[in-house]
Amino acid sequence: MILPNRGSLKSFNFYLVENHQNLTLIDAGINQDACWNLLLQTLKTHNFSLGDISQIILTHSHEDHIGLIQRILDVHSVPIFAHKDAVYRLQREEEFFQKRIEFYSQLYDEMGCGAVGKRRVEEIRKLGEAKKNEKIVGEIRTLGEDDYILGMRVIETPGHSPDHIVLLDEDRKVLFGGDHLIGHISSNALVEPDRDGNRRKTLIEYHSSLKKCLNYDFNKVYTGHGRTIHHPYELINSRLEGMDEKAEKIVSIIRSGVATASEIAQTFYRDKYEAEFSLVMSEIIGYLDYIEEKQLIYKTKKTGIWHYEV
């Protein structure tokens, strides 16, 4: 099911899989009437109804992949399968979301984001308040590395989100890839805390997850956005090469004397810095982790703000 989108994502994609007379929903789109109507119409076209869905599998817990879950559960109770790190996000665990606010407050201060960072933290706080009652009320079962469901292998692919998984149909050589790999844009490895509020180095995780997928045999990827991918290894290698190219550009910016993550982000992205603040800072912080791990830069803290040098 493909719901068109005018933005950079191009579409919201989610899937129905029929297996031995059981019907499974892989991801659940975005919480919009157009998406709900698309699901209902697709079921009707193939002579199914909501009551025929036996389970829901989530590639990750982002809102454009879980949007219709509660609507479905309100009509028809089915188990939800997701990575263990998705559970406390789906259930809107209060302690975690409070730690998440504190995490971003400290992160943006240490990265030198000043007033722009403080505004973003306040937005996160208000959004959390607005969504605190949107928790998933239903049975959630966990999936992990090398589990099998629908005859497909579960592969953990953290990076874009800490709870990301993909599903590999080894017989058909098909991967249900969520947002791990998108054909027309690179997946942003969004900076996130773990359950204890500690920062995960998400771009490093994403790089490892991309390389990991090269070890499996598949020739098609059903993605969360945009078109189906038919040459996945070429795209994965292109993404890996692109990461190194971007890392080199950031090293050059640091070499020129630009020192804080906020300053680097403003230099690299200019007008996008405030308009797409969260995405821009996630990317720059991730690349700084990646470059630092390669020992091409080092950082020192001055008056509470990290400064990077070559």
Side-chain angles (χ1 to χ4, degrees):
M1 291 164 285
I2 300 172
L3 182 71
N5 173 259
R6 293 181 180 179
S8 61
L9 294 177
K10 293 192 175 182
S11 66
F12 301 107
N13 305 341
F14 54 121
Y15 302 87
L16 284 165
V17 178
E18 185 181 7
N19 183 275
H20 302 301
Q21 296 183 326
N22 289 318
L23 197 63
T24 297
L25 184 66
I26 299 180
D27 286 334
I30 194 164
N31 190 15
Q32 295 178 355
D33 288 344
C35 198
W36 178 245
N37 293 335
L38 174 60
L39 171 61
L40 296 180
Q41 184 57 53
T42 303
L43 287 166
K44 183 178 179 181
T45 298
H46 294 277
N47 299 313
F48 291 112
S49 67
L50 278 175
D52 293 312
I53 296 175
S54 59
Q55 59 189 1
I56 301 170
I57 305 173
L58 300 177
T59 59
H60 61 300
S61 61
H62 287 171
E63 65 179 8
D64 56 337
H65 291 256
I66 68 170
L68 299 181
I69 289 178
Q70 200 57 53
R71 291 202 198 197
I72 295 168
L73 294 181
D74 288 344
V75 176
H76 173 54
S77 180
V78 296
I80 301 156
F81 290 85
H83 190 270
K84 62 181 177 62
D85 286 330
V87 177
Y88 49 92
R89 291 175 166 85
L90 294 170
Q91 294 179 336
R92 305 295 300 179
E93 185 181 279
E94 187 175 344
E95 184 179 359
F96 168 72
F97 281 93
Q98 182 56 45
K99 286 180 180 178
R100 192 170 181 268
I101 293 168
E102 295 165 1
F103 166 82
Y104 284 115
S105 180
Q106 179 179 342
L107 177 70
Y108 292 149
D109 281 347
E110 291 181 341
M111 296 301 169
C113 299
V116 181
K118 293 184 187 306
R119 284 200 299 273
R120 177 54 186 157
V121 170
E122 187 57 28
E123 289 170 1
I124 293 170
R125 190 189 310 277
K126 289 179 179 177
L127 188 62
E129 280 296 312
K131 290 181 173 290
K132 68 180 181 181
N133 294 323
E134 293 184 11
K135 62 183 178 182
I136 302 301
V137 181
E139 180 187 4
I140 304 175
R141 303 177 188 175
T142 58
L143 295 170
E145 186 75 10
D146 291 334
D147 284 342
Y148 278 83
I149 188 166
L150 290 181
M152 294 189 285
R153 181 195 291 262
V154 176
I155 304 169
E156 294 179 344
T157 50
H160 175 66
S161 69
D163 56 12
H164 204 290
I165 60 172
V166 297
L167 305 170
L168 176 61
D169 185 327
E170 294 169 298
D171 293 331
R172 294 170 60 218
K173 298 185 179 181
V174 166
L175 192 76
F176 287 90
D179 287 357
H180 181 56
L181 198 64
I182 301 173
H184 63 282
I185 53 173
S186 58
S187 297
N188 198 323
L190 300 170
V191 172
E192 280 276 357
D194 62 18
R195 192 171 192 173
D196 296 320
N198 301 310
R199 183 156 75 84
R200 298 180 63 138
K201 295 186 176 181
T202 49
L203 190 78
I204 293 173
E205 290 181 331
Y206 183 58
H207 186 273
S208 296
S209 293
L210 282 175
K211 292 184 71 174
K212 178 182 183 179
C213 284
L214 292 172
N215 296 320
Y216 294 94
D217 186 15
F218 57 97
N219 53 34
K220 182 187 293 185
V221 181
Y222 292 121
T223 70
H225 307 280
R227 295 180 178 179
T228 299
I229 296 167
H230 293 281
H231 302 284
Y233 299 135
E234 291 179 19
L235 183 58
I236 290 172
N237 284 315
S238 174
R239 292 283 185 261
L240 292 169
E241 291 170 8
M243 288 173 69
D244 286 333
E245 290 170 2
K246 186 168 287 187
E248 289 175 10
K249 292 177 182 177
I250 292 172
V251 170
S252 296
I253 291 172
I254 297 170
R255 188 176 289 115
S256 74
V258 181
T260 71
S262 175
E263 292 167 343
I264 294 164
Q266 291 176 69
T267 302
F268 197 95
Y269 280 107
R270 301 184 184 279
D271 295 340
K272 287 186 177 181
Y273 175 72
E274 290 200 33
E276 301 179 27
F277 176 78
S278 295
L279 294 175
V280 165
M281 286 308 302
S282 271
E283 182 163 307
I284 294 300
I285 292 168
Y287 271 96
L288 291 171
D289 289 340
Y290 180 68
I291 299 163
E292 187 179 11
E293 186 183 65
K294 288 177 171 289
Q295 299 184 331
L296 298 175
I297 59 172
Y298 65 95
K299 66 178 184 286
T300 54
K301 188 172 276 190
K302 303 175 185 178
T303 62
I305 298 174
W306 289 114
H307 286 68
Y308 294 84
E309 300 177 60
V310 176

